[in-house]
Amino acid sequence: MSRLAARPAVEGTTFVEVAGLRLRYSIQGRGAPLLLLTGIGANLDMWEPFRRELEGFETIAVDLPGAGASETPLLPLTMRGLAKLSVGLLDVLGYPRASVLGYSFGGLVAQQLAHLRPDRVERLVLAATGCGWGAIPGNPGAMLNLLTPTRYYSRGNLEHVGPSLYGGRSRREPEILATLAAARLHRPPTARGYLWQLLATSGWTSLPWLGDLRMPTLVLSGEDDPVVPPVNGRLMASRIPNARFELIPGGGHLMLLDQAADLAPLVREFLRQSSDERDDLHV
């Protein structure tokens, strides 16, 4: 897959300016390009457990505005604005097309990107995410904890709220959070950046146009996800024409990170399917 002639993308972590914002991004691996869009307040270093297990792809991860080391905009960006920014990143780095993996908040951005520029999306993976308004809400306690970025600043808070907030392996083996804490705490979001991301979800929904997404799509839902109950994954997969739904037994909201060794092969198999062949789909 050839790149645009804009500029060569260099493996490693560095900064680039897109639409007037300074963004931190990272490129790892060799193979077909895969854009990684992560959860609310998260930074690209948190992808490391998943990237370590996913072989055969050139992954492009980015700190969304206000998170990690990327610039916090003066005014909030809408979900459409975040999607346009992601396309702009691909433009600057020289990728005419890429598969896109969106996790949680990043899944909303990924849906909007696929709707806005379907010509730029090879395949779409939506993990632990929903459709915005119209989705079945998560556990009230978990949703309240998402309103604050405290878990990005305090190890004690992460250890206290993490098991009930994230469910899955993080609930069964709370000690796993300690292995994920360093990347999370090292580059926390700014308070304003976290608020801007929350505002981007306000009033947003993909329900009216999910049926317009024609690219092959894999929807992953954790069986024990307090934030995004799996019924939401089933709902999205039922509306996306070329979608395949996978329920991950015992999976929680952090399943891509705390069960990376289990999930990476599933994602890899899906992304490696020829875009010319029709998937054996099931919903």
Side-chain angles (χ1 to χ4, degrees):
M1 185 177 296
S2 62
R3 289 179 177 153
L4 298 171
R7 59 178 276 179
V10 179
E11 187 170 15
T13 302
T14 187
F15 291 85
V16 68
E17 185 171 307
V18 180
L21 286 174
R22 188 169 185 261
L23 302 179
R24 177 175 175 254
Y25 76 93
S26 164
I27 294 176
Q28 286 186 18
R30 290 289 183 267
L34 173 64
L35 177 64
L36 302 175
L37 299 171
T38 193
I40 190 165
N43 65 71
L44 63 85
D45 302 298
M46 293 169 60
W47 279 112
E48 186 54 34
F50 183 77
R51 292 173 110 178
R52 191 166 54 240
E53 298 291 340
L54 188 71
E55 298 176 349
F57 293 90
E58 186 170 74
T59 57
I60 309 111
V62 61
D63 289 340
L64 290 172
S70 286
E71 183 179 357
T72 300
L74 185 61
L75 298 174
L77 294 173
T78 63
M79 202 62 69
R80 182 181 177 88
L82 290 168
K84 290 177 68 175
L85 195 71
S86 301
V87 173
L89 177 68
L90 293 177
D91 287 342
V92 172
L93 298 181
Y95 295 96
R97 284 172 67 85
S99 292
V100 180
L101 191 166
Y103 153 63
S104 192
F105 176 84
L108 310 186
V109 181
Q111 290 172 67
Q112 186 69 66
L113 191 164
H115 177 58
L116 182 70
R117 292 298 305 269
D119 58 307
R120 305 297 295 274
V121 180
E122 188 74 31
R123 284 176 173 259
L124 183 63
V125 180
L126 303 174
T129 194
C131 61
W133 282 95
I136 304 302
N139 177 278
M143 303 310 289
L144 281 173
N145 281 320
L146 282 182
L147 295 178
T148 170
T150 306
R151 65 195 182 281
Y152 284 100
Y153 291 90
S154 165
R155 182 181 295 270
N157 180 264
L158 175 63
E159 293 174 351
H160 177 67
V161 306
S164 60
L165 172 60
Y166 298 124
R169 188 180 178 192
S170 293
R171 190 200 304 275
R172 298 188 301 272
E173 306 170 46
E175 62 275 10
I176 194 68
L177 290 170
T179 68
L180 304 175
R184 177 187 296 270
L185 298 169
H186 180 57
R187 295 186 185 273
T190 64
R192 182 156 51 96
Y194 194 87
L195 175 61
W196 282 181
Q197 290 190 4
L198 282 175
L199 288 176
T201 68
S202 178
W204 181 86
T205 182
S206 60
L207 276 180
W209 43 259
L210 279 177
D212 297 333
L213 302 183
R214 301 292 173 173
M215 67 285 297
T217 302
L218 175 64
V219 181
L220 300 173
S221 292
E223 183 182 41
D224 179 28
D225 185 341
V227 178
V228 187
V231 64
N232 293 291
R234 292 187 184 277
L235 171 63
M236 290 195 302
S238 71
R239 289 179 173 249
I240 300 172
N242 201 14
R244 165 182 160 191
F245 175 75
E246 291 282 351
L247 179 66
I248 308 305
H253 196 65
L254 293 184
M255 58 186 176
L256 286 183
L257 308 180
D258 63 15
Q259 291 184 239
D262 299 324
L263 272 292
L266 179 61
V267 173
R268 181 168 57 242
E269 176 272 330
F270 170 75
L271 293 176
R272 280 182 172 170
Q273 292 176 24
S274 167
S275 59
D276 295 325
E277 72 180 88
R278 294 188 60 85
D279 293 331
D280 181 18
L281 303 174
H282 61 279
V283 174

